[in-house]
Every structure is written in C-alpha cells, then in structure tokens.
Amino acid sequence: QVLLVESGGGLVRPGGSLRLSCAASGFTFSTYGMHWVRQAPGKGLEWVAFIRSAGSGEYYADSVKGRFTISRDNSKNTLYLQMNSLRVEDTAVYYCAKDFAPSSFTGNWLDPWGQGTPVTVSS
Amino acid sequence: DIQLTQSPSSVSASVGDRVTITCRASQGIGSYLAWYQQKAGKAPKLLIHSTSTLEGGVPSRFSGSGSGTDFSLTISRLQPEDYATYYCQHAYGLPISFGQGTRLEMK
C-alpha cells in the first residue's frame, strides 16, 4: 500500500535551518506531484508547497516563499523540504502528501498523507 | 487567492443525528472541492473529492454536495467514530487552501 514517512523534524532556533524528508513507497513516485502541508499546534491545515512529478515546477505559499525549497529525488523516491530563516510561526507538524492524480500540473486532492514530523522553532 | 470559510466552527451532536457542515469559497471553484477528516493526533484522511465522490472505504452515511461557491458535507446518521475535525479544500489551481475546520463534538 502507499506509505509516506516523514523525518527530519526537531527543535531549531529562530533563523536556523532544517531539512525534512519524506520517503515514499507503494506507488510510482515519479508519476505524482507531491505536497507539503503544515499544522500549527491547535490550528488548522496550511498548504506549504507543491512540486510536479518530474520536479520541474515548484509552488509555494506566500508565507514561506523565498525561505523554503521543495525538491524531490525520483531515483530515491524521496521528497524534501529545505527550510531556511525559520521563524517561531513556522512551528508546526509538517505532513507530506501525495497528489491524487498522476502528472497534475496544479495540484489536486491530497491522498494519502504521512504521519507528520514536528518542527519547533524556539530560542 | 481563494479563501474557504467553513461553518460552523464547531458543532455538538449525538450518535444517530444528521450533521451538515458548509464550506463557502470566495470565488467560483466549479466542483473542485474535497473534504477531509482528521482525528486527534492523526493525519487528515481524504473522505470526498470532486464535491461528491466518496473515497473507497468511506461509509455511505457521508455525502457531499454543492457547486460554484457553496458546498456541504452531510453525515446522515452520526456514529461514534465520526467525532473528529473536518476540513474542506479546493483544488481550483494553486495555491491550494483549506477551510479553517469544523470540530464535531459529542453532545
């Protein structure tokens, strides 16, 4: 079955960097766009970024644009989120999610989701 | 950017009740709307996409309707396992966005 496993979360000081990974299995990774979504403690879901299946085309929420970079290695079935210049307000559980439809250009439904990895930005 | 507004923010209901949650988009999104269920400490789960298409394994007591800017999720006969938070999400281009969530609590 489709499995997404995030890793790389942790505690980081404001201004610091962190790289999240999402290991995918159970489907043809290179065929599907992938998303990162985050959820601050006690809050709702916030879409963060999307990358197309071949990696050519990345899109970001305004709140992270210029600081976060989404990328993928289709040879390793792995999705990444490089987070730089971290702020306290970036504290959240970060989920990776598979796009519903293959080769989507602009994203679709998100299914399934990984279990999430927590990121805490605090001094 | 498209904003999604869910109502109510929270609702209390009893097992067996019929519950309806609404989601209003700031502009027309056709039928590009999905609903997710999230239980405490868990990842969201896709329930319905394309406004009214149930994902495999989702009980038939869940249904979705609407088009354009106004959408709804209905649970016809609430079961104990349905207590959760529900989110709508549009897929009418990027950026994708979610509603703020509706918490369904036991009455």
Side-chain angles (χ1 to χ4, degrees), chain A residues 34-49:
Chain A
M34 296 292 295
H35 300 262
W36 286 100
V37 176
R38 67 185 181 183
Q39 186 169 36
K43 302 297 184 182
L45 302 171
E46 179 188 14
W47 174 79
V48 172

Side-chain angles (χ1 to χ4, degrees), chain A residues 3-40:
Chain A
L3 190 61
L4 300 170
V5 180
E6 301 95 335
S7 61
L11 173 64
V12 62
R13 301 214 185 275
S17 298
L18 212 54
R19 188 176 87 152
L20 307 183
S21 299
C22 171
S25 60
F27 66 103
T28 306
F29 182 71
S30 60
T31 304
Y32 289 84
M34 296 292 295
H35 300 262
W36 286 100
V37 176
R38 67 185 181 183
Q39 186 169 36

Side-chain angles (χ1 to χ4, degrees), chain A residues 35 37 39 43-47 50 59-62 95 99-100 105-116, chain B residues 1 31-34 36 38 42-46 49-51 55 87 89-91 93-100:
Chain A
H35 300 262
V37 176
Q39 186 169 36
K43 302 297 184 182
L45 302 171
E46 179 188 14
W47 174 79
F50 169 73
Y59 303 87
Y60 300 92
D62 286 344
Y95 296 100
D99 198 72
F100 186 82
F105 272 9
T106 59
N108 218 297
W109 330 120
L110 283 65
D111 179 56
W113 300 51
Q115 85 288 350
Chain B
D1 297 356
S31 297
Y32 290 92
L33 192 96
Y36 298 83
Q38 186 180 32
K42 301 293 186 181
K45 171 189 170 185
L46 178 65
H49 66 82
S50 306
T51 297
E55 266 294 88
Y87 295 92
Q89 175 237 323
H90 84 82
L94 292 165
I96 284 168
S97 63
F98 296 88
Q100 81 278 16

Side-chain angles (χ1 to χ4, degrees), chain B:
Chain B
D1 297 356
I2 297 170
Q3 315 299 323
L4 297 177
T5 303
Q6 288 183 231
S7 61
S9 296
S10 65
V11 57
S12 298
S14 301
V15 172
D17 284 353
R18 179 184 180 91
V19 174
T20 297
I21 298 167
T22 65
C23 179
R24 174 164 287 179
S26 58
Q27 66 182 73
I29 57 171
S31 297
Y32 290 92
L33 192 96
W35 292 95
Y36 298 83
Q37 177 191 66
Q38 186 180 32
K39 297 185 178 179
K42 301 293 186 181
K45 171 189 170 185
L46 178 65
L47 292 179
I48 291 172
H49 66 82
S50 306
T51 297
S52 59
T53 303
L54 260 62
E55 266 294 88
V58 174
S60 59
R61 62 181 179 273
F62 289 90
S63 64
S65 64
S67 69
T69 60
D70 294 308
F71 301 85
S72 63
L73 169 71
T74 297
I75 309 172
S76 59
R77 289 175 304 279
L78 200 61
Q79 297 299 302
E81 60 268 29
D82 299 336
Y83 291 103
T85 301
Y86 293 85
Y87 295 92
C88 57
Q89 175 237 323
H90 84 82
Y92 196 75
L94 292 165
I96 284 168
S97 63
F98 296 88
Q100 81 278 16
T102 295
R103 185 173 178 179
L104 177 51
E105 300 173 319
M106 190 177 300
K107 193 170 187 180

